[in-house]
Every structure is written in structure tokens, then in C-alpha cells.
Amino acid sequence: MNFENFGKNGQINFENFGKNGQINFENFGKNSKINFEETEKSIIFAQKLDMDTDRIFKRKIYDRLLKWKETSNGKSALLVQGARRIGKSTIVEEFAKREYDSYILIDFTKCSGEVLNLFNDVSDLNYIFLRLQLIYHVQLKERKSLIIFDEVQFQPKARQAIKSFVGDHRYDYIETGSLISIRKNTDHILIPSEEERINMYPMDYEEFRWALGDTATIPLLRSVWEHPQPLKEAHRKLMRDFRLYMLVGGMPQAVNAYIDTNNFEAVDRAKRLVLNIYDEDFNKIDPSGKAARIFAAIPAQLNSNASRYQISSVIAEAKAEDFMELISEMEKSMTVNISHHCDDPNVGMSAFEDLGQYKMFVSDTGLFVTLAFKDKDFTENILYNKLLNDKLSSNLGYLYENIVAQMLVCSGNKLFYHTWPTESGKHNYEIDFLLSREAKIVPVEVKSSTYRTHVSMDEFCKKFSSRIANSRYLVYTKDYFKEGAMKYLPAYLAYFL
């Protein structure tokens, strides 16, 4: 690729971009400010290409693991927490292989009783280390070895023992876990202050493009974000690529299935397996099955276009206030993203969130696609063809709201929305997402159609004019457009919000 003439004077010429499905970068790059250093830094290990073995995908969290190793120098352990099957164990073990002389991975879901019992009494660390080396046939080297506590929620005492292990300072420690913060996994243990925590999510859009061998699209889009202008002919292909991400999602098993087979039925099968695991997790949180029912109803709830999740329509005679703790536990599982109603939109929105009024999204939009038709055969799932071919009807537009929620959470945003009654009192105005930027708030509205109508946005900006930043955004499916302070973003640019 020749980036020599890309971005002349901050303007990008997309005239020849995307013709016949091919990206032509020949005239891009002059005086370009695109920095590929971060992209190249992340390309640090090869994919496993044989069909019988899952690939090791590039993940951004690797750089965060490196930073922890360099800055901590053994003075803290690292907890990588996230939903099941997002690749936590895989990336941490790859990190151990590449960055340490030796490592031991203790998988608490299948280790022996002898290993489990080692953490009941940590008064003799020498004995524990000796036994681990003998059991796993690994020689540990002082300050050059890593011990991984995989799925540490299955042995909470190992997590509590981190204080002693870190104080000993011989080795480094990384924990991985899902459902790590729910009450039953933290009862009766002391959470160590020596534990740093980072969240891991399904593969984001850039990681998905990396998995497909594309390291150019996101830097290109970042330049467009910094120098906004219509993309013209390129837009159609970029939207099609983004809709592919919405369908496949960011679960490594689903991405792997897509690369291996180029077949949506195989992808859907991989996602169903993940959803079955989530059902099991919800039954651990709530054996009554209510959590699983609440999760399964997410597509129907968003499709109803209600201003909140109506718990009573899922569980008869249920009251929202009676389920606040269960909803909090589900959010901690990181299988769902919760957007709370902000009663008084301002910079400190957490102070005005209504815990009883919320919307619920699936943490991975690819899983959402499968969940919506989980009780039917793959051949009856109309979303694959309709979304890929841009034939999605307006009543299925909640997919775009879900993907925007997913991208905002992965970027570190807490989700809020706001509703208020219209003048007649018969309907509500609604702003889908509110972001806090410096001392102002940024309203974001999401539409699945090509329409640029934004009555709610206009009314919101009148009502809270002194609190709003100069920019406000409408995310939709057409090309970039600007009208006054309103910026109309194609869905793939919402990645940069």
C-alpha cells in the first residue's frame, strides 16, 4: 500500500476508494498524520492457521498487560475480568509465553483437589511453590516467572491469598475471571488491595478487522474522524464491512468460525454455544431462572420501543425495585450492558441515575443477532440476509442501538439516556445516549434508517442548551453529513465517539 499522497491538506479524496470492492490507497498519504505505530506494536504474534486449532487473535489488552508488567514490577497482581468466552485465558497465556521465562496456569475449573486445597492455608509459601512446580512440571524463576489463576472465582481463597503472594515478590500473578464481582464469589473473603483490575470485552471493530487481515481501515477512519467529510463511493463498502461485524460479533469462537467457513450457519452455531454457557451462568446467579428469562427477553424489550426495560412483561407482577440487585448482578457478569435513565442530564450524571429505570443491551451484538431468533432454526433467522444486504426494516433497528451501546462501553463510557414527556403528555422525547465530555454533555441519537429527523434532539438542545457541547451526533446508515452543530455519523464512525 502506498500512503504517500494520503490526506493532502487534511482533505481526503475518496473518489477511487472502494470501486469493485477493492480499496485503492494509491493517492493517499501526503503529509498524513496517520500513526501506524500502535497498530504495528499490536501485531506481535502470528495467527494459528490450521483449521483444527483456534487462532490467537491480536487483542489490544496485550499492551495493557505489558504496561502493568513494566510499571508494577511485582508490587501488584492483575485481575482481567470479563464475560465468559471472550478470550481472557487465551491472551493471558500468550502473554505468559512471550514475556516470561516460565509460567504456571492453574485452571480452577478443572485442577485437582490437591491444587485447590493448597490455597486453604498460605502460611508456607515455599511449600506451595514447590508443590505447584512438581504438579505442573514447571521450574519457576524468581522475578522471571508468572503464575496465572484462571477462572479464579472458582477458588476465592486463591484470590484472597494474592496479598501474601505479592508480598513475597518472587513471581508475578495474573488472575482471570467471569462473574468475579457477584456477591456469592466475594462473600467471606477479603479482596486484596494489591489487586489491579482491568476489564476485557468482546473483540471491538478494529480487532475484528485485524482478525480478517485488515490493518488499514481503522487508521483510515480515524483520519476521517479527525477531518470529517463525506466518503462518497467508499461509504457503501465500509457500511457493508461494519454490518458484517454486527452479524458475526466479537466472540473469538464466532470470528474463528467465520474465517474458517465463510458460512453464517457455522457462525450462528458457535454463538449458540456461547449463549448456552451464559444461560448456565445466569442460573448460578439466580437458580430460579429469572435472570436467564430477563436476558432472553432483551431483543423483545428493545423492539417494543419502550422507554425502559419492562420487567413486569417478562415476569408476571414483578416490580422493578424488587429486581435491582439481580440486575446489578447481571451487569457485573459483563454479559449485558445497562443504560440507566439520567433524571437531570449534567456532567456528573451518576449522581442523577435512576437505578430502577434502565435499558438493557447484550454485550456483543453478534450474540444479540442469534439471541433474537434463538428459539428457531438458523434458516428462520432473517437478520443475516436483511442486515448484510441493508434491507433491515425499521422495527429491527434496535440492532444499531445495541452496537452503539457496545462500542461506547468498550471505550470506557458509562451508559445513560434521558426521556421526558412531550407537550401533549401522550408520548416521550428520548435521547438514546448521553456522554460526558469535559464540562459538557454530548447527546447521541441512533437511527437504523436514512432519515435525518431529530425532533427529540432539537427539543433536548433547547431545554439544556447551557449544558451541551458544541457537537451533537445522530448515528445512522448513510454517509457523513453536517448541518449546523449536528453531525450525522455513519455507524462505523460511532466507534470514535
Side-chain angles (χ1 to χ4, degrees):
M1 295 180 192
N2 177 13
F3 289 84
E4 193 177 65
N5 298 311
F6 180 93
K8 189 181 287 186
N9 300 321
Q11 298 299 309
I12 301 171
N13 179 9
F14 286 89
E15 200 67 44
N16 297 314
F17 180 87
K19 280 187 179 178
N20 304 316
Q22 300 297 314
I23 301 178
N24 179 5
F25 289 94
E26 189 175 37
N27 296 315
F28 298 167
K30 195 166 187 179
N31 300 322
S32 171
K33 294 183 180 179
I34 291 183
N35 181 6
F36 282 86
E37 184 179 341
E38 290 300 317
T39 300
E40 295 299 330
K41 184 170 68 172
S42 297
I43 306 174
I44 53 177
F45 44 83
Q47 296 176 344
K48 297 179 182 177
L49 297 178
D50 53 296
M51 294 286 286
D52 296 327
T53 307
D54 284 351
R55 294 164 176 82
I56 305 295
F57 293 116
K58 297 176 290 175
R59 305 299 296 269
K60 295 177 181 178
I61 202 168
Y62 195 101
D63 287 342
R64 297 185 66 184
L65 299 179
L66 274 176
K67 183 177 180 180
W68 162 79
K69 182 176 186 288
E70 294 166 358
T71 57
S72 168
N73 193 29
K75 294 178 181 178
S76 67
L78 184 67
L79 171 63
V80 180
Q81 58 185 357
R84 296 274 296 277
R85 310 302 292 164
I86 60 169
K88 301 183 299 294
S89 305
T90 301
I91 198 67
V92 169
E93 185 171 14
E94 190 67 24
F95 177 73
K97 290 176 182 177
R98 299 187 64 87
E99 307 299 336
Y100 291 88
D101 288 1
S102 66
Y103 72 95
I104 290 175
L105 187 151
I106 305 171
D107 184 347
F108 286 114
T109 65
K110 57 186 178 184
C111 66
S112 67
E114 180 184 3
V115 173
L116 283 173
N117 291 333
L118 283 174
F119 300 95
N120 292 333
D121 181 359
V122 294
S123 59
D124 188 348
L125 296 183
N126 288 330
Y127 175 75
I128 293 175
F129 294 142
L130 177 62
R131 294 301 301 149
L132 289 176
Q133 290 176 89
L134 289 172
I135 293 169
Y136 288 95
H137 309 291
V138 172
Q139 180 184 359
L140 295 174
K141 302 178 183 180
E142 190 167 334
R143 301 303 319 133
K144 294 182 179 180
S145 294
L146 174 70
I147 299 178
I148 303 169
F149 294 164
D150 194 27
E151 301 293 357
V152 71
Q153 72 273 10
F154 287 100
Q155 177 44 302
K157 288 185 177 179
R159 186 181 180 195
Q160 180 175 268
I162 283 294
K163 182 177 184 69
S164 299
F165 289 131
V166 170
D168 177 75
H169 202 251
R170 267 179 271 185
Y171 313 116
D172 283 354
Y173 302 89
I174 296 181
E175 309 158 271
T176 75
S178 52
L179 309 182
I180 197 73
S181 299
I182 68 172
R183 182 160 46 87
K184 78 170 191 175
N185 287 332
T186 56
D187 276 353
H188 313 303
I189 69 167
L190 295 174
I191 304 300
S193 59
E194 294 79 4
E195 178 187 87
E196 296 182 39
R197 303 179 199 177
I198 56 175
N199 293 333
M200 186 172 176
Y201 301 98
M203 297 167 71
D204 70 13
Y205 187 41
E206 184 167 26
E207 291 171 327
F208 178 75
R209 297 310 308 172
W210 286 346
L212 300 187
D214 175 11
T215 60
T217 293
I218 301 301
L220 169 65
L221 293 180
R222 186 172 287 110
S223 181
V224 174
W225 173 257
E226 294 168 356
H227 306 286
Q229 60 185 282
L231 279 75
K232 300 180 181 177
E233 289 184 11
H235 168 74
R236 181 176 296 181
K237 181 184 186 302
L238 289 168
M239 270 306 301
R240 186 177 176 86
D241 288 345
F242 186 73
R243 291 195 298 268
L244 176 64
Y245 171 60
M246 293 173 67
L247 288 170
V248 175
M251 306 305 289
Q253 299 91 328
V255 177
N256 203 58
Y258 174 75
I259 294 172
D260 280 349
T261 68
N262 195 36
N263 181 288
F264 281 137
E265 186 169 4
V267 172
D268 198 72
R269 192 180 307 117
K271 291 188 289 178
R272 284 173 184 265
L273 291 174
V274 176
L275 289 172
N276 289 339
I277 291 173
Y278 285 4
D279 276 345
E280 295 173 7
D281 286 348
F282 290 131
N283 288 328
K284 293 173 186 174
I285 294 174
D286 173 45
S288 73
K290 291 175 182 175
R293 289 164 60 189
I294 291 169
F295 179 77
I298 291 175
Q301 286 288 313
L302 290 177
N303 187 38
S304 70
N305 207 28
S307 61
R308 67 171 76 189
Y309 191 107
Q310 301 282 356
I311 196 83
S312 60
S313 66
V314 180
I315 300 169
E317 300 181 5
K319 296 180 180 179
E321 56 267 26
D322 296 333
F323 283 81
M324 287 171 59
E325 183 177 353
L326 179 58
I327 298 302
S328 176
E329 297 279 89
M330 292 179 67
E331 186 173 21
K332 290 175 183 176
S333 76
M334 299 179 69
T335 56
V336 299
N337 294 322
I338 305 290
S339 179
H340 284 105
H341 189 274
C342 180
D343 294 337
D344 183 19
N346 218 321
V347 176
M349 286 183 281
S350 292
F352 303 100
E353 68 177 319
D354 183 346
L355 297 178
Q357 186 173 350
Y358 53 85
K359 287 189 171 186
M360 187 180 296
F361 303 95
V362 181
S363 61
D364 178 74
T365 304
L367 290 181
F368 187 107
V369 169
T370 298
L371 182 66
F373 287 80
K374 190 171 185 286
D375 60 340
K376 297 183 180 181
D377 187 81
F378 165 77
T379 56
E380 298 182 63
N381 192 330
I382 61 174
L383 294 182
Y384 285 97
N385 281 331
K386 284 185 175 292
L387 183 59
L388 192 63
N389 294 311
D390 198 21
K391 303 294 183 183
L392 198 68
S393 56
S394 59
N395 67 323
L396 296 175
Y398 49 75
L399 280 171
Y400 283 95
E401 196 172 346
N402 197 93
I403 190 66
V404 172
Q406 178 184 339
M407 291 190 292
L408 290 175
V409 169
C410 288
S411 298
N413 296 282
K414 185 172 170 60
L415 300 181
F416 295 98
Y417 73 105
H418 183 67
T419 64
W420 71 105
T422 60
E423 290 75 8
S424 67
K426 296 180 180 179
H427 303 284
N428 282 332
Y429 294 119
E430 180 174 331
I431 299 297
D432 295 316
F433 299 103
L434 295 173
L435 306 178
S436 179
R437 295 292 183 265
E438 297 178 349
K440 298 287 185 179
I441 55 176
V442 176
V444 179
E445 197 168 343
V446 181
K447 292 185 179 292
S448 63
S449 63
T450 61
Y451 298 117
R452 294 176 181 168
T453 55
H454 41 80
V455 176
S456 291
M457 181 73 78
D458 292 342
E459 293 300 318
F460 182 83
C461 292
K462 290 177 186 176
K463 186 175 182 180
F464 300 104
S465 58
S466 62
R467 307 179 186 181
I468 297 174
N470 291 330
S471 295
R472 65 257 356 215
Y473 298 97
L474 188 148
V475 178
Y476 72 151
T477 60
K478 299 298 284 185
D479 203 351
Y480 175 84
F481 181 77
K482 187 175 186 298
E483 185 178 45
M486 177 70 78
K487 296 179 180 179
Y488 301 83
L489 297 181
Y492 48 79
L493 286 183
Y495 175 80
F496 301 101
L497 281 171

